[in-house]
Amino acid sequence: MTVEQNVLQQSTSQKHQQTFLNQLREITGINDTQILQQALKDSNGNLELAVAFLTAKNAKTPQQEETTYYQTVLPGNDRYISVGSQADANVIDLTGDDKDDLQRAIALSLEESNRAFRETGITDEEQAISRVLEASIAENKASLKRTHTEVWSDSPNPYDRKRQDNCPVGLKNVGNTCWFSAVIQSLFNLLEFRRLVLNYNPPASAQDLPRNQKEHRNLPFMRELRHLFALLVGSKRKYVDPSRAVDILKDAFKSNGSQQQDVSEFTHKLLDWLEDAFQMKAEEERDGEKPKNPMLELFYGRFLAVGVLEGKKFENTEMFGQYPLQVNGFKDLHECLEAAMIEGEIESLHSENSGKSGQEHWFTELPPVLTFELSRFEFNQALGRPEKIHNKLEFPQVLYLDRYMHKNREITRIKREEIKRLKEYLTVLQQRLERYLSYGSGPKRFPLVDVLQYALEFASSKPVCTSPVDDIDASSPPSGSIPSQTLSSTAEQQQGTPSELPSTSPTPRSFIHKPFTQSRIPPDLPMHPAPRHITEEELSVLEGCLHRWRTEVENDTRDLQESISRIHRTIEQMYSDKPMVQVPYRLHAVLVHEGQANAGHYWAYIFDHHQERWMKYNDISVTKSTWEELERDSFGGYRNASAYCLMYINDKEHFLIKEDFHKETGQKLVGMETLPTDLRDFVKEDNQRFEKELEEWDLQLAQKAQQEKILASQKMKEPTPSVMTAQAEEPEYLEQPSRSDLAKYLKEETMRAITKASSEHEDTNPETVLQLIMMTPNMQGIIMAIGKSRSVYDRCGPEAGFFKAIKLEYARLVKLAQEDTPPETDYRLHHAVVYFIQNQSPKKIIERTLLEQFGNRNLSFDERCRNIMKIAQAKLEMIKPEEVNMEEYEKWHQDYRNFRDTTMYLMIGLEHFQKKSYVEAILHLICAYQNNKELLSKGPYRGHDEELISHYRRECLLKLNEHAAELFESGDDQEVNSGLIIMNEFIVPSLPLLLVDEMEEKDIVAVEDMRNRWCSYLGQEMEPNLQEKLTDFLPKLLDCSTEIKGFNELPKLPSYSTHELCERFARIMLSLSRTPADGR
């Protein structure tokens, strides 16, 4: 069963009723849910019958409790309407009894779609693939679930959530609420709208008990919206939680927590609620006059509809809020508006006796805030699904609307007629130019100038007196030609009777082509064909004609191109005269959608009018942006991101963005000063709670630091223990791990090593001396340094011997830190001091670390070692607290522990990768990459090669993805489930980690490869249960967001001694160098 068949079959199911409602809304433009549900019920779930019911003339509208945002208008009815727009010039009357109009409307829609694809250059095959992909992504539910393993999780460190200076506050995504964040932030940054919300006081009559459903719903929402706006103004948090306001909205939408809403649907509902809330307040405050609703005055305008319906003229004034515009078939916003303002044939509007239908829209009153809803979704009749339109649509930063105003309709009509005439003339010129640029009558055509040039080159070539075949010497055929004997024998065989057998003559030897030895062109053979006979007089006449014709064609082509360019400029400047640039609207916000028809992610670009810069609001992230970035993400045609809603504001209405000033002093109010008293107290309480979080965090850090200081001081004051007593608090890389069964052996070997080292030259390589001794590299170096300082110890005493030994050890470690070693010989793993030296840690940190190593209690092998150990411990006790910053000391050692952990993650991950245990490998490699990235942010020598870890993380994901796909292809239920578990638990949570840095092109390509691997199943025959599982899984894989998702459980690291860690790491790195990976 194919994807298309499965989708169409499942769409009839009762549990997917909401999908039918969305489809009916897309086809008919009716937004009332009750009407759509009734039509669906009357048609017994038949989509076509439901459309017919809704578009029939006698369709009944159930009585509603409250006026919806959009209602259908009848001539003379001055109520809210649905503003339609069509790309085609023809108007289909869907209000009559002729049912064929519906079929004609569908046919025109498909024709328009095909025309748009021809203009954009997308082939039918690409269109089909795109539709199948989008139909498979869209689940057969109300909308796709954008499920994550976890919702945004707050950082435990409150300083990570602290607002920086006056940076705008973000909104937390509390579960598929990016649509909420995009709209709310756009409205919040309209200062006039912000003032209206912040200063809203509920009606006194509704203070105690809400009287009706509107008050019961709208007043709590207004309260939460005021609180939310107040936090966005004065919060000390980097982002705030909008859960309480979102929960009220979700209840109204009657949707579950993971359903993602449509921006336009939410905006309609939001403005509807705000209108009701302010209307209640306005009615309470009116003094006998008609109440003024600030929401109506801010967001609603009026236009005049002038038209002809079945030969009868009509003229109606209608109100509009969000103005919908079709995108398909248009290249910029003005083209969309022109198509929306003119429906039908303009000529019919001015004739007395016309039976045609059509109308014009003229704005009579524009709202201060004008919102355009870009219809980037169209209903695919073949698949029974909506699909997204990814075409590019440009829009300006300043939009002049004079040409659409009723007061300018006469001059606009004249200009439209002129533009129409110019475009007709332009079409003729373009057709003529095309004849010059594509000349010929066959399938292949060439520019006429080139054809004349080729003819001139042919005529001017050196004449050839013989045939191109006759001038070849038959006795010695040129290389590459067939010998004449072969030709004749072949001809005889072809002319012979069927009874003659080919075997009567020997089979000719096959000819071998040798291009560089036999195919050389003879020096007398012309490079190009040439005329066989031509006189000087003929050539002179022909050259003269061809030269003249070529010049004429060049001049004609240039004239046509200049005329076309001139007409284009005239059309572009048609509305640039002063009377037509008096109504400027400036772009305030762009709401962007990335994804497919029923799944994706929303964010907003909002213009900061006072700083004069664009800001990007993406949930909790608020960053500076540019117009270039906005163009890339909003115009469309790039990836799957495009503008879904445009919010313009009247550039002459300065009150929209005017800041608040003190009435008496005239000083500008900022932050908390702009809030009413009740909201100021509310924000102060929230800030106090956050400050308490910061204080508790600081207290925890201070207590931890104090405990560490106490432990450190206790460690210094403790008496020297016996030889085998280990100090548990010290990190493993600073101590010598000893086991009781090896103690005697270690002591004996160490004594022999010291004696041997002291008897040899001071330049003896210490690594060769203790090659067979099982102790850490730190201890090996110290033992060798003590052995080399024996003569100084004997002559000058223990303290001098100590200084000599520590100087020798430090010099050795500096030398190791300066060596350029291969990855398998990483001295940072051997010695913490090498790590500190390479990363330029403070000298006091290095000195204290060396003293702790020399003061190690395991260094009590003989009297000399014990004396030096005691001196080192005494030096440690003499260090004053102000001399060494213990907090900084602990940070450096914590970084080194993180470096060792990163090494272990990397080592174990690579070992599993080589064993093809990709499930075990991926989590280790991901942890290695994340930890290593954090280390490298502090310095280039803090971690390992980032490219190496990135490569194996990427390769492991690709291998794991392929393995999961093979399990899915098996068809076995258990293996299919195992494959999907791998994808959901490992691959899907990993994708945002690869996409978060767009500079890593290889990672982005890998993500696309993994997605394409699963998208290749679309359209293939498979069992219904497999199809259902694929449909459920694909949206998670194709989720375009870069929200970091959590893993179920991170791997735990085993405990390794330094010796074992270095040995295993060297082994795995050597194996990589022997078998280099592809792509590195």
Side-chain angles (χ1 to χ4, degrees):
M1 178 178 292
T2 64
V3 173
E4 296 90 333
Q5 293 170 340
N6 186 63
V7 169
L8 291 173
Q9 179 181 3
Q10 292 183 357
S11 65
T12 61
S13 176
Q14 181 64 28
K15 66 179 181 179
H16 299 141
Q17 182 185 18
Q18 184 64 33
T19 302
F20 281 100
L21 297 179
N22 292 340
Q23 294 171 3
L24 290 175
R25 187 180 293 111
E26 191 77 19
I27 297 173
T28 63
I30 298 175
N31 293 306
D32 192 299
T33 305
Q34 294 184 12
I35 297 177
L36 299 176
Q37 288 177 340
Q38 186 63 38
L40 197 61
K41 181 179 179 181
D42 294 341
S43 63
N44 293 324
N46 187 300
L47 184 63
E48 187 173 352
L49 287 177
V51 174
F53 289 159
L54 291 170
T55 54
K57 186 175 182 179
N58 57 352
K60 302 289 185 179
T61 304
Q63 188 67 27
Q64 302 178 39
E65 178 187 334
E66 54 187 83
T67 304
T68 57
Y69 182 71
Y70 283 151
Q71 293 180 346
T72 305
V73 69
L74 298 176
N77 186 13
D78 187 8
R79 301 183 68 182
Y80 307 159
I81 66 144
S82 173
V83 182
S85 62
Q86 297 181 3
D88 204 300
N90 298 320
V91 171
I92 302 299
D93 181 17
L94 298 179
T95 61
D97 294 330
D98 189 1
K99 295 183 179 179
D100 292 336
D101 282 340
L102 175 62
Q103 300 300 328
R104 291 205 298 126
I106 295 174
L108 279 177
S109 175
L110 294 176
E111 180 182 352
E112 175 65 21
S113 178
N114 292 333
R115 180 178 69 82
F117 275 106
R118 288 196 299 271
E119 291 178 356
T120 55
I122 300 176
T123 64
D124 292 338
E125 181 181 1
E126 292 170 337
Q127 178 183 356
I129 292 173
S130 176
R131 288 180 174 178
V132 170
L133 176 61
E134 291 187 351
S136 299
I137 293 173
E139 291 183 7
N140 301 321
K141 298 178 181 179
S143 67
L144 281 176
K145 293 184 178 181
R146 192 162 169 263
T147 306
H148 298 319
T149 307
E150 61 182 22
V151 185
W152 285 107
S153 57
D154 294 328
S155 169
N157 185 352
Y159 284 96
D160 294 337
R161 297 180 271 115
K162 186 178 180 181
R163 183 179 181 182
Q164 300 298 323
D165 299 327
N166 293 322
C167 180
V169 179
L171 287 174
K172 182 179 179 180
N173 190 330
V174 292
N176 302 320
T177 57
C178 49
W179 47 273
F180 179 88
S181 175
V183 175
I184 290 297
Q185 292 282 21
S186 301
L187 295 173
F188 171 79
N189 282 277
L190 279 172
L191 299 187
E192 177 63 16
F193 180 83
R194 183 193 303 181
R195 281 189 288 270
L196 288 171
V197 172
L198 292 175
N199 295 300
Y200 177 83
N201 291 318
S205 59
Q207 289 288 347
D208 299 328
L209 186 66
R211 297 172 298 179
N212 52 43
Q213 183 181 359
K214 286 184 180 180
E215 292 184 358
H216 182 75
R217 176 197 64 194
N218 294 346
L219 294 180
F221 176 74
M222 285 302 299
R223 181 177 62 252
E224 297 304 330
L225 188 62
R226 291 183 73 237
H227 289 168
L228 184 60
F229 271 32
L231 290 174
L232 290 175
V233 169
S235 178
K236 293 185 178 181
R237 303 175 190 267
K238 180 181 178 181
Y239 56 88
V240 294
D241 190 337
S243 297
R244 301 183 68 171
V246 170
D247 290 340
I248 298 175
L249 279 172
K250 286 185 175 180
D251 290 340
F253 279 114
K254 297 179 180 179
S255 64
N256 55 52
S258 60
Q259 182 178 359
Q260 189 165 6
Q261 300 300 334
D262 179 82
V263 162
S264 61
E265 183 183 3
F266 164 63
T267 309
H268 289 173
K269 182 69 68 177
L270 176 64
L271 293 180
D272 194 19
W273 286 17
L274 291 170
E275 179 190 343
D276 289 341
F278 279 95
Q279 186 67 27
M280 289 186 291
K281 184 65 177 176
E283 290 177 353
E284 183 182 66
E285 296 176 351
R286 67 176 176 176
D287 297 326
E289 300 179 358
K290 185 178 180 180
K292 291 185 178 180
N293 191 320
M295 290 296 105
L296 291 178
E297 295 180 353
L298 199 59
F299 294 102
Y300 292 82
R302 293 179 181 273
F303 67 85
L304 182 69
V306 183
V308 176
L309 181 62
E310 297 179 354
K312 296 180 181 180
K313 291 186 177 181
F314 67 89
E315 187 171 309
N316 298 317
T317 299
E318 302 165 359
M319 182 176 284
F320 70 92
Q322 286 182 282
Y323 203 90
L325 296 176
Q326 297 294 326
V327 170
N328 204 4
F330 307 111
K331 67 178 183 179
D332 59 44
L333 188 60
H334 275 300
E335 287 190 2
C336 296
L337 275 167
E338 289 283 351
M341 304 300 281
I342 305 173
E343 298 182 2
E345 299 182 13
I346 300 178
E347 294 82 355
S348 65
L349 304 179
H350 315 299
S351 59
E352 294 295 332
N353 300 312
S354 174
K356 298 180 180 180
S357 298
Q359 61 176 312
E360 291 177 340
H361 293 171
W362 299 99
F363 291 129
T364 57
E365 182 182 346
L366 285 172
V369 181
L370 179 59
T371 304
F372 293 114
E373 176 187 323
L374 303 182
S375 180
R376 282 197 169 270
F377 302 107
E378 65 179 2
F379 190 77
N380 188 314
Q381 296 287 344
L383 296 176
R385 290 283 175 197
E387 58 184 15
K388 187 175 179 181
I389 301 169
H390 298 294
N391 298 353
K392 183 178 181 180
L393 182 79
E394 299 179 357
F395 46 85
Q397 295 194 59
V398 178
L399 179 69
Y400 293 98
L401 295 170
D402 303 78
R403 71 184 78 174
Y404 311 109
M405 301 302 296
H406 180 259
K407 63 181 181 180
N408 297 326
R409 66 175 177 176
E410 295 303 327
I411 187 172
T412 299
R413 283 172 176 169
I414 295 174
K415 289 181 178 292
R416 283 176 178 170
E417 289 294 333
E418 179 64 15
I419 290 176
K420 180 180 179 182
R421 185 187 64 80
L422 288 173
K423 286 186 175 180
E424 290 175 352
Y425 183 43
L426 183 65
T427 302
V428 175
L429 294 179
Q430 288 173 334
Q431 290 175 350
R432 290 180 179 177
L433 179 62
E434 184 66 18
R435 293 172 186 170
Y436 282 94
L437 299 179
S438 299
Y439 184 81
S441 57
K444 293 184 178 181
R445 302 190 178 193
F446 306 92
L448 182 54
V449 173
D450 294 343
V451 173
L452 294 173
Q453 179 65 27
Y454 298 154
L456 181 61
E457 292 175 358
F458 173 78
S460 303
S461 299
K462 180 181 178 181
V464 179
C465 299
T466 59
S467 167
V469 178
D470 295 341
D471 63 347
I472 300 176
D473 187 0
S475 60
S476 61
S479 301
S481 62
I482 302 177
S484 58
Q485 296 176 354
T486 306
L487 289 172
S488 61
S489 63
T490 304
E492 291 175 0
Q493 289 179 12
Q494 292 176 350
Q495 296 174 1
T497 61
S499 60
E500 296 178 17
L501 298 175
S503 58
T504 56
S505 61
T507 303
R509 189 175 179 180
S510 60
F511 180 76
I512 301 176
H513 180 60
K514 299 180 180 179
F516 297 106
T517 59
Q518 297 180 350
S519 296
R520 294 173 183 165
I521 300 175
D524 57 345
L525 188 64
M527 293 295 294
H528 301 288
R532 195 174 302 176
H533 302 289
I534 185 170
T535 64
E536 292 292 336
E537 182 180 357
E538 290 173 337
L539 180 60
S540 176
V541 172
L542 186 56
E543 285 182 342
C545 292
L546 290 173
H547 275 296
R548 185 177 71 252
W549 295 340
R550 187 174 185 274
T551 303
E552 292 173 355
V553 169
E554 288 178 342
N555 293 335
D556 291 344
T557 302
R558 183 171 58 254
D559 291 342
L560 285 170
Q561 290 173 338
E562 291 177 354
S563 298
I564 290 172
S565 299
R566 187 166 54 252
I567 292 175
H568 276 302
R569 287 195 300 271
T570 303
I571 293 175
E572 290 174 358
Q573 299 174 2
M574 186 64 69
Y575 294 101
S576 61
D577 49 331
K578 189 174 182 180
M580 304 303 286
V581 289
Q582 300 301 311
V583 188
Y585 270 72
R586 183 170 297 277
L587 187 61
H588 166 70
V590 179
L591 277 63
V592 180
H593 175 268
E594 182 177 24
Q596 305 300 332
N598 283 330
H601 180 60
Y602 293 99
W603 68 87
Y605 289 100
I606 303 174
F607 189 66
D608 187 332
H609 299 272
H610 300 284
Q611 298 291 335
E612 294 187 349
R613 66 188 181 193
W614 285 97
M615 302 292 292
K616 182 178 181 180
Y617 289 78
N618 191 353
D619 290 331
I620 68 172
S621 172
V622 182
T623 56
K624 295 178 183 179
S625 185
T626 61
W627 175 252
E628 290 72 26
E629 182 184 2
L630 186 151
E631 281 185 338
R632 184 194 67 190
D633 289 346
S634 305
F635 281 6
Y638 177 78
R639 296 186 179 176
N640 291 329
S642 55
Y644 191 67
C645 185
L646 305 176
M647 188 178 292
Y648 283 87
I649 61 174
N650 193 323
D651 207 24
K652 293 184 177 181
E653 300 288 358
H654 301 296
F655 75 95
L656 293 170
I657 55 174
K658 182 180 178 182
E659 295 181 316
D660 295 323
F661 292 88
H662 196 278
K663 293 181 180 180
E664 297 178 358
T665 63
Q667 293 182 345
K668 185 173 71 171
L669 301 177
V670 294
M672 298 279 284
E673 299 172 348
T674 63
L675 299 179
T677 305
D678 63 322
L679 293 181
R680 198 177 305 168
D681 294 339
F682 171 78
V683 176
K684 284 181 179 178
E685 291 176 3
D686 185 76
N687 286 341
Q688 288 173 358
R689 287 192 293 269
F690 184 64
E691 289 173 353
K692 188 176 180 180
E693 285 186 52
L694 296 173
E695 293 174 359
E696 291 175 352
W697 179 263
D698 291 337
L699 182 60
Q700 290 177 7
L701 293 181
Q703 290 176 347
K704 183 178 179 181
Q706 185 65 26
Q707 291 174 357
E708 291 173 351
K709 288 181 180 179
I710 293 174
L711 291 174
S713 61
Q714 290 177 351
K715 178 180 64 175
M716 295 176 186
K717 295 179 180 179
E718 285 179 1
T720 304
S722 60
V723 176
M724 299 312 302
T725 303
Q727 185 177 353
E729 291 81 3
E730 288 184 343
E732 185 273 333
Y733 55 86
L734 292 182
E735 70 179 34
Q736 164 61 33
S738 302
R739 293 191 293 268
S740 57
D741 55 343
L742 294 177
K744 185 177 179 180
Y745 169 78
L746 287 175
K747 187 171 182 178
E748 293 174 354
E749 291 296 318
T750 303
M751 292 296 295
R752 285 196 293 270
I754 294 174
T755 303
K756 183 178 179 181
S758 60
S759 62
E760 294 179 355
H761 194 269
E762 285 192 356
D763 293 336
T764 304
N765 186 355
E767 304 299 332
T768 59
V769 175
L770 299 180
Q771 191 174 16
L772 300 177
I773 300 181
M774 297 175 57
M775 52 176 62
T776 63
N778 288 337
M779 192 64 69
Q780 292 177 9
I782 292 171
I783 294 296
M784 289 304 306
I786 292 175
K788 290 182 178 181
S789 62
R790 178 178 180 180
S791 58
V792 176
Y793 181 94
D794 293 339
R795 290 197 315 269
C796 304
E799 189 163 356
F802 162 75
F803 282 116
K804 177 66 174 177
I806 200 169
K807 181 179 179 181
L808 290 172
E809 176 64 2
Y810 179 71
R812 185 181 74 88
L813 295 178
V814 169
K815 183 178 179 182
L816 293 179
Q818 294 173 346
E819 286 188 17
D820 186 12
T821 59
E824 62 269 15
T825 309
D826 193 338
Y827 288 124
R828 294 175 300 174
L829 289 174
H830 293 233
H831 311 276
V833 175
V834 174
Y835 183 85
F836 296 157
I837 294 172
Q838 288 189 355
N839 291 287
Q840 300 178 347
S841 73
K843 190 175 181 181
K844 292 291 185 182
I845 304 294
I846 298 175
E847 290 177 355
R848 183 178 180 88
T849 304
L850 275 175
L851 282 175
E852 288 188 347
Q853 291 179 357
F854 272 86
N856 193 306
R857 295 173 185 137
N858 292 317
L859 198 65
S860 56
F861 296 107
D862 63 355
E863 187 66 26
R864 184 167 63 253
C865 289
R866 282 193 293 272
N867 290 335
I868 288 178
M869 177 189 69
K870 291 178 181 179
I871 293 173
Q873 291 175 350
K875 298 291 184 184
L876 279 172
E877 292 180 0
M878 293 172 61
I879 298 176
K880 298 178 181 179
E882 62 271 14
E883 291 181 355
V884 178
N885 187 334
M886 290 304 297
E887 184 177 349
E888 184 181 19
Y889 176 84
E890 177 55 34
K891 285 183 179 179
W892 275 97
H893 280 269
Q894 182 60 49
D895 282 350
Y896 184 69
R897 285 191 288 269
N898 293 341
F899 170 71
R900 284 172 56 92
D901 290 347
T902 302
T903 304
M904 285 189 275
Y905 278 128
L906 175 60
M907 177 186 71
I908 297 172
L910 292 176
E911 289 174 346
H912 284 304
F913 182 85
Q914 289 191 339
K915 296 175 183 176
K916 299 183 179 181
S917 302
Y918 302 121
V919 172
E920 293 79 4
I922 187 58
L923 288 182
H924 285 87
L925 292 174
I926 286 175
C927 290
Y929 183 87
Q930 296 301 114
N931 291 359
N932 193 68
K933 188 174 183 180
E934 182 178 354
L935 287 172
L936 292 179
S937 65
K938 301 178 181 179
Y941 301 105
R942 294 285 187 112
H944 293 285
D945 182 4
E946 187 174 24
E947 185 180 353
L948 179 140
I949 307 177
S950 174
H951 170 77
Y952 281 99
R953 179 187 65 165
R954 183 169 56 247
E955 289 296 313
C956 189
L957 284 171
L958 290 170
K959 299 281 189 184
L960 202 55
N961 184 77
E962 185 65 26
H963 176 60
E966 291 174 355
L967 292 175
F968 182 81
E969 291 174 354
S970 68
D972 181 75
D973 287 342
Q974 186 174 357
E975 292 192 354
V976 168
N977 291 334
S978 299
L980 293 177
I981 288 174
I982 290 174
M983 296 302 297
N984 286 319
E985 293 187 1
F986 300 102
I987 301 296
V988 172
S990 302
L991 297 187
L993 299 175
L994 273 66
L995 294 173
V996 70
D997 187 1
E998 294 188 358
M999 300 304 293
E1000 291 292 339
E1001 184 178 354
K1002 293 180 181 179
D1003 286 345
I1004 296 176
V1005 172
V1007 171
E1008 293 303 317
D1009 288 344
M1010 287 185 277
R1011 288 173 171 172
N1012 292 337
R1013 181 69 172 87
W1014 289 88
C1015 289
S1016 65
Y1017 296 127
L1018 299 176
Q1020 295 185 14
E1021 296 282 347
M1022 62 178 65
E1023 296 296 328
N1025 64 321
L1026 292 181
Q1027 182 61 60
E1028 183 178 358
K1029 291 179 179 179
L1030 180 64
T1031 307
D1032 289 337
F1033 161 69
L1034 267 183
K1036 303 173 187 176
L1037 183 67
L1038 298 176
D1039 186 356
C1040 301
S1041 69
T1042 55
E1043 298 175 17
I1044 305 301
K1045 309 171 181 65
F1047 294 92
N1048 291 338
E1049 187 177 353
L1050 295 179
K1052 295 181 180 179
L1053 290 174
S1055 177
Y1056 290 120
S1057 67
T1058 301
H1059 180 79
E1060 185 179 4
L1061 176 61
C1062 294
E1063 182 181 352
R1064 289 182 61 176
F1065 184 75
R1067 190 186 309 123
I1068 191 67
M1069 297 308 292
L1070 278 172
S1071 67
L1072 296 183
S1073 63
R1074 288 194 297 267
T1075 56
D1078 295 338
R1080 285 200 55 224

